[in-house]
Amino acid sequence: TTRNGQGSPISVIKVETRTLSDGADFIRPQFTIYLSNKGDGRVFSPKENIETVCSPVGIDYSAADVIAIDDVSFSGYNLKRGDIKCDLKEGTLKLREEETVQNVNYFRCTLNPGLLRSNTPNYETPLYIKLKYGYTDTITRNVKIETVNDGY
């Protein structure tokens, strides 16, 4: 478990919810999901080969700090099935190193039109967010190498 208790270095740090009108009979819940790298390592695209990532060559800048949003779901609706649309480029989010007001790590997902009636009473439901990414972290230690005389 990481310092923030979510069990992963990439953390959901905030979720904002809005309800958009979809005519007189329907509503469209919208979620703005904020992510942050709370670990000390580096994120890379899950499409990258770990041998390449850990090699002296490394990875291309376009694959660094990339998280794939595998699924977002709530109340039986989900992204994979097409009930929800997210404002992602090819299903991914590129993390920014600095999280300023103008440069935050977030994406928005909205329920598609015509799925949730406006007369549905308010209710609470879990929001599931499934992320895919690679992660590397480095630990440096000094070691002492000693010569062993084994009689040869």
Side-chain angles (χ1 to χ4, degrees), residues 85-97:
K85 173 115 172 92
C86 297
D87 63 353
L88 298 164
K89 182 179 178 185
E90 298 177 12
T92 64
L93 177 69
K94 176 102 170 157
L95 290 179
R96 307 290 182 237
E97 294 224 10

Side-chain angles (χ1 to χ4, degrees), residues 12-102:
V12 175
I13 57 172
K14 180 169 63 169
V15 176
E16 295 174 346
T17 59
R18 290 179 51 195
T19 302
L20 307 177
S21 176
D22 183 21
D25 296 329
F26 294 94
I27 57 173
R28 298 175 62 200
Q30 180 181 74
F31 304 96
T32 304
I33 302 161
Y34 295 81
L35 302 177
S36 180
N37 180 358
K38 295 295 187 182
D40 296 325
R42 294 295 305 229
V43 176
F44 60 90
S45 170
K47 295 179 181 179
E48 289 298 308
N49 182 315
I50 191 66
E51 285 80 20
T52 303
V53 173
C54 294
S55 75
V57 174
I59 59 174
D60 185 79
Y61 171 78
S62 64
D65 301 317
V66 173
I67 297 174
I69 311 304
D70 192 50
D71 201 11
V72 175
S73 63
F74 73 96
S75 299
Y77 304 111
N78 67 54
L79 176 66
K80 279 189 170 182
R81 192 173 52 236
D83 304 322
I84 298 170
K85 173 115 172 92
C86 297
D87 63 353
L88 298 164
K89 182 179 178 185
E90 298 177 12
T92 64
L93 177 69
K94 176 102 170 157
L95 290 179
R96 307 290 182 237
E97 294 224 10
E98 296 178 21
E99 295 173 23
T100 62
V101 174
Q102 296 82 16

Side-chain angles (χ1 to χ4, degrees), residues 1-12 36-39 131 133 135:
T1 301
T2 60
R3 286 173 263 163
N4 62 2
Q6 290 191 32
S8 168
I10 302 302
S11 299
V12 175
S36 180
N37 180 358
K38 295 295 187 182
L131 309 174
Y133 57 91
Y135 199 82

Side-chain angles (χ1 to χ4, degrees), residues 57 74 137 141 149-150:
V57 174
F74 73 96
D137 199 355
R141 300 273 190 256
N149 186 354
D150 59 4

